[in-house]
Amino acid sequence: NAGVTQTPKFQVLKTGQSMTLQCAQDMNHEYMSWYRQDPGMGLRLIHYSVGAGITDQGEVPNGYNVSRSTTEDFPLRLLSAAPSQTSVYFCASSRLAGADTQYFGPGTRLTVL
Amino acid sequence: GNSVTQMEGPVTLSEEAFLTINCTYTATGYPSLFWYVQYPGEGLQLLLKATKADDKGSNKGFEATYRKETTSFHLEKGSVQVSDSAVYFCALRGGGSNYKLTFGKGTLLTVNP
């Protein structure tokens, strides 16, 4: 099992550009989520999904879109990047929404100039 | 809503010293409590968990006890090693259908030889 994989590892964007952060898991997990990690802020939930075709907003959803067309993939889209979106982004998955253990990917470090 | 407050860092210790990282929480109902660890350049990993009052979670020499009366889940280790240098996050998941994780801000631990 590869676990949770994220691409790219690093990305630099200019303000206004769009991009998609990829996340995939091969553990047949139903629950997937995206967090951003900022210094002194811990991890904050952006969007989450309890299964294919179902997504919902977390704590800080503005400026981000998600979709979940398959169980394996949960891409995060930035439609018009802003410097405030400079952060490290983590994708996580768990067997079910209420499962105790979440498995995290290695992260994507995004810089918006 | 749910919240987690953990000890501000950074914490710097010598090898074999005793470690305590304080964590307190606010939640309705009966939350589950977690400690996650993030090693440099990696995603988060579950370190230990406790799902009900008076439970003790333990792993790799680390321990934490779920204290409902003081709403606390302090992380302890009797003798730290250089390899324990990492960022430690306290987190909770609300009970019932409130399954989203709420994280503390993280505590950076550096252990010197």
Side-chain angles (χ1 to χ4, degrees), chain A residues 6-96:
Chain A
Q6 292 183 238
T7 56
K9 288 185 71 69
F10 301 94
Q11 183 70 48
V12 179
L13 293 178
K14 295 181 180 177
T15 296
Q17 287 185 316
S18 63
M19 81 158 296
T20 299
L21 307 185
Q22 301 292 344
C23 174
Q25 52 87 13
D26 61 359
M27 298 174 282
N28 201 31
H29 284 175
E30 292 294 327
Y31 184 78
M32 297 185 74
S33 54
W34 277 102
Y35 295 87
R36 59 178 290 173
Q37 182 181 29
D38 302 293
M41 299 292 290
L43 275 75
R44 293 181 291 170
L45 181 65
I46 304 172
H47 284 286
Y48 63 97
S49 168
V50 299
I54 306 169
T55 63
D56 207 345
Q57 296 181 351
E59 182 185 354
V60 288
N62 292 341
Y64 307 95
N65 280 351
V66 292
S67 60
R68 184 95 180 270
S69 56
T70 67
T71 298
E72 294 78 20
D73 300 298
F74 191 43
L76 179 72
R77 297 184 188 84
L78 284 71
L79 298 180
S80 178
S84 61
Q85 294 178 305
T86 294
S87 188
V88 181
Y89 292 85
F90 288 101
C91 180
S93 75
S94 61
R95 189 174 57 85
L96 297 171

Side-chain angles (χ1 to χ4, degrees), chain B residues 35-63:
Chain B
W35 278 100
Y36 277 82
V37 58
Q38 183 181 31
Y39 297 105
E42 299 182 8
L44 280 70
Q45 305 173 25
L46 179 65
L47 179 60
L48 54 83
K49 64 184 180 185
T51 57
K52 61 183 187 296
D54 299 324
D55 267 2
K56 177 185 283 188
S58 61
N59 187 26
K60 299 181 180 180
F62 291 90
E63 293 183 341

